[in-house]
Amino acid sequence: MTQDVEMKEQQAAPSNSVTSTGPSTLQRTKPHYSNLSIGFSELKEIASLIETGAYAREVRRIVRAIRLTIALRRKLKASVLHWFLNFALVPGSEAHSRLSSYLPKEDELDMEVDTATSATPAPVKHSLPEFEIYCYLLVLIFLIDQKRYNEAKACSSASIARLKNVNRRTVDVLAARLYFYYSLSYELTGDLAEIRGNLLALHRIATLRHDELGQETLLNLLLRNYLHYNLFDQAEKLRSKAPRFEAHSNQQFCRYLFYLGKIRTIQLEYTDAKESLLQAARKAPVAALGFRVQCNKWAVIVRLLLGEIPERTVFMQKGMEKALRPYFELTNAVRVGDLELFKAVAEKFSTTFSSDGTQNLIVRLRHNVIRTGLRNISISYSRISLTDVAKKLRLDSENPVADAESIVAKAIRDGAIDATLDHASGWMVSKETGDIYSTNEPQIAFNSRIAFCLNMHNEAVRALRFPPNSDKEKESAEKRRERQQQEQELAKHIAEEDDDEF
């Protein structure tokens, strides 16, 4: 066990102190490490941003610190974390002792301490809650990356208990990240159901504190919790009653759309589900490849259930070809209307479909495959016997002719095919195919495309952000005062003219 790193106050070296808009609470010294270039400079910059944001109450600085932390994630080592804990927290405090216990002991091979000048770091006079919460986040990320999930669970539970006693707007961004890793640590150990009550309590606390980012994050975590155990009814009840407002995080909004699409799919509301899933896939960042793959998998199934055939380009997207291969073969079977091919594909990739949670939806597709095959038959033949229909559809039931008759009757009633059924002779007579441009279908398709473009334009306009311009605000206020003065003079003049008339 090596000695602690010396962090004496450097009054004569302003470059080593944290620059901020408020009084500095951290005293920095030059750490005596052999690998200074790995992580230390980034953590110093993050500490400066957090301190400045805490004193100036600027949330954007905390957001920037989170982004830098994500980029720093792969560089985190136990020695770096030990140094930062000594740097940001009071040595010997409860938070410092607890977080240090989760990290491996410092090794002489990891750091070199100057024994001639090493001493206990100078205590922090006023420890900021932002630093403590950030240290919890940093250690929790490290434990999850090291696959030490049980210790990550303990660390996340301790951080959530600490968060309940902190009510600061500058902590909300850090709290949202902690909520995510809190749920992730329990999901990785298979104990996701244990924290459902805590997540509901945290969502209630975030609502009372008007923490909208925390509400978004916790709502998505609760929906994920319910959907993980196939509790779709409870997820829909929570979603419908939870307060909704303008999204503060694009990532959280994408997750919400994805969960909403899954709920709508199970509830047979395929049109709304398709819109939500496609919107989630479009809004997702390019780097979130796994999320976009999941969105496209569910979107393909929903479009097939709607009777649509996805374009080949959907399956040829960069980085998704292998993951979407089972769904491409499934789409091909549905497009052809071959029931035997559909069964073969479903059995071949049953493990993949089960892991994706789409196995039950694929069972629903059997009816669509039969209907597609029947549509192809009605286009090819002007009249065909029900026995031949059963053979072409490859119905393997005990009475295939009766089943074929019921399938044809239902398809005619639903408008899937334009034909008549001759029950006495056992024939299906197809009507001549009319000109589709003489119907309202092109107009409906054109209108839907226009509505989609207008909706995208409105969302882009709402997403615009403009920097504040104080000069224009002053000018508008001056013009407003001049206008009000002119209106008052005009009203007075009109009143005097009215008095003269009487």
Side-chain angles (χ1 to χ4, degrees):
M1 186 70 178
T2 59
Q3 300 182 14
D4 292 333
V5 181
E6 180 187 11
M7 293 188 203
K8 295 182 179 180
E9 296 186 5
Q10 301 289 331
Q11 299 294 342
S15 61
N16 290 335
S17 60
V18 181
T19 57
S20 66
T21 58
S24 178
T25 62
L26 296 179
Q27 304 296 333
R28 298 192 174 191
T29 59
K30 181 179 179 181
H32 303 276
Y33 294 93
S34 58
N35 50 355
L36 287 173
S37 61
I38 303 179
F40 294 141
S41 59
E42 291 89 343
L43 285 174
K44 288 181 180 181
E45 182 181 359
I46 291 172
S48 177
L49 287 171
I50 293 176
E51 186 182 24
T52 305
Y55 282 121
R57 297 181 181 179
E58 295 181 352
V59 180
R60 62 184 180 87
R61 296 184 182 273
I62 309 295
V63 174
R64 185 181 174 191
I66 293 294
R67 291 176 180 173
L68 291 176
T69 304
I70 297 174
L72 178 66
R73 183 169 183 171
R74 295 184 179 181
K75 300 180 182 179
L76 290 179
K77 295 183 179 180
S79 58
V80 178
L81 292 177
H82 273 294
W83 172 82
F84 188 74
L85 292 181
N86 294 333
F87 180 77
L89 301 177
V90 178
S93 62
E94 182 182 358
H96 183 277
S97 302
R98 180 183 294 112
L99 291 174
S100 298
S101 64
Y102 297 128
L103 299 176
K105 301 300 181 181
E106 300 179 54
D107 193 356
E108 294 181 357
L109 297 177
D110 294 335
M111 64 174 64
E112 296 177 358
V113 181
D114 188 355
T115 57
T117 59
S118 63
T120 304
V124 181
K125 297 179 180 179
H126 303 286
S127 180
L128 291 172
E130 286 81 1
F131 278 120
E132 183 179 348
I133 300 302
Y134 180 75
C135 288
Y136 272 109
L137 177 62
L138 210 58
V139 173
L140 183 55
I141 292 175
F142 174 77
L143 293 175
I144 292 177
D145 290 343
Q146 297 295 320
K147 302 185 186 304
R148 298 163 58 182
Y149 301 135
N150 291 327
E151 296 179 6
K153 284 172 56 178
C155 180
S156 62
S157 299
S159 65
I160 295 301
R162 180 68 180 94
L163 271 178
K164 292 180 180 179
N165 300 323
V166 180
N167 184 12
R168 293 163 65 104
R169 298 286 70 82
T170 50
V171 179
D172 292 345
V173 180
L174 298 170
R177 301 301 300 177
L178 273 179
Y179 296 149
F180 172 77
Y181 289 112
Y182 173 57
S183 177
L184 178 61
S185 61
Y186 276 82
E187 182 178 355
L188 292 173
T189 55
D191 302 326
L192 200 56
E194 295 181 6
I195 62 171
R196 191 177 302 154
N198 291 336
L199 292 178
L200 289 169
L202 289 171
H203 186 271
R204 182 168 59 251
I205 293 173
T207 304
L208 295 175
R209 292 177 177 176
H210 302 285
D211 178 10
E212 295 184 351
L213 179 58
Q215 292 180 60
E216 283 183 349
T217 305
L218 290 166
L219 177 60
N220 287 333
L221 293 176
L222 284 166
L223 293 177
R224 182 181 182 88
N225 197 308
Y226 285 124
L227 296 181
H228 182 78
Y229 295 99
N230 297 326
L231 302 175
F232 292 94
D233 291 338
Q234 296 184 29
E236 172 59 20
K237 290 179 181 178
L238 173 67
R239 188 209 62 81
S240 61
K241 295 181 180 179
R244 293 298 304 162
F245 36 78
E246 184 179 358
H248 291 264
S249 171
N250 180 63
Q251 290 83 354
Q252 297 300 329
F253 185 52
C254 291
R255 290 190 181 102
Y256 175 79
L257 290 173
F258 176 61
Y259 298 143
L260 178 61
K262 294 178 72 173
I263 294 172
R264 291 286 183 259
T265 303
I266 299 300
Q267 294 178 338
L268 306 181
E269 300 177 9
Y270 298 135
T271 303
D272 295 340
K274 172 190 169 184
E275 181 179 357
S276 298
L277 291 169
L278 292 179
Q279 190 176 4
R282 285 195 302 268
K283 288 181 174 290
V286 179
L289 181 61
F291 179 81
R292 293 193 293 118
V293 167
Q294 289 296 322
C295 290
N296 279 282
K297 286 180 179 179
W298 280 75
V300 167
I301 297 296
V302 171
R303 294 183 66 179
L304 291 176
L305 289 169
L306 283 171
E308 303 176 5
I309 302 299
E311 299 81 3
R312 182 181 289 269
T313 55
V314 173
F315 307 97
M316 298 295 114
Q317 299 181 62
K318 183 178 180 180
M320 300 186 187
E321 297 90 344
K322 184 177 180 181
L324 295 179
R325 184 66 188 180
Y327 295 87
F328 174 74
E329 295 190 14
L330 185 70
T331 301
N332 185 50
V334 175
R335 180 182 62 84
V336 175
D338 190 339
L339 195 58
E340 292 294 331
L341 179 60
F342 172 77
K343 291 179 180 179
V345 173
E347 292 177 359
K348 179 181 178 182
F349 299 105
S350 59
T351 305
T352 303
F353 296 145
S354 298
S355 62
D356 293 338
T358 56
Q359 184 67 40
N360 293 333
L361 301 177
I362 291 173
V363 174
R364 300 181 188 177
L365 280 176
R366 181 180 182 275
H367 181 69
N368 293 64
V369 176
I370 295 175
R371 178 172 292 188
T372 303
L374 185 61
R375 189 183 299 115
N376 295 335
I377 293 173
S378 66
I379 294 174
S380 303
Y381 297 91
S382 60
R383 189 178 69 169
I384 186 173
S385 65
L386 295 177
T387 304
D388 293 336
V389 169
K391 290 181 180 179
K392 289 184 176 296
L393 293 179
R394 299 184 182 181
L395 300 178
D396 53 357
S397 58
E398 297 181 356
N399 192 352
V401 177
D403 290 344
E405 183 177 2
S406 62
I407 291 172
V408 171
K410 189 175 186 304
I412 294 173
R413 186 195 65 183
D414 296 340
I417 60 175
D418 190 8
T420 57
L421 188 62
D422 187 352
H423 177 71
S425 303
W427 294 93
M428 183 187 76
V429 182
S430 301
K431 297 181 180 179
E432 295 184 1
T433 304
D435 185 11
I436 191 172
Y437 290 100
S438 63
T439 65
N440 293 330
E441 289 189 14
Q443 181 182 359
I444 295 173
F446 190 55
N447 181 65
S448 64
R449 295 181 182 182
I450 293 175
F452 171 76
C453 294
L454 291 176
N455 185 33
M456 181 178 292
H457 174 267
N458 293 335
E459 290 182 357
V461 171
R462 283 196 295 267
L464 291 175
R465 294 292 182 270
F466 301 95
N469 193 332
S470 57
D471 296 334
K472 289 185 178 180
E473 292 178 358
K474 290 181 180 178
E475 292 176 0
S476 61
E478 293 175 357
K479 291 181 180 180
R480 191 184 306 110
R481 285 195 296 269
E482 292 177 359
R483 179 176 52 81
Q484 292 176 354
Q485 185 177 0
Q486 292 175 0
E487 290 176 354
Q488 290 176 359
E489 293 176 356
L490 180 61
K492 183 178 180 181
H493 181 67
I494 293 174
E496 290 176 355
E497 289 182 352
D498 292 340
D499 292 339
D500 292 340
E501 290 178 0
F502 285 101

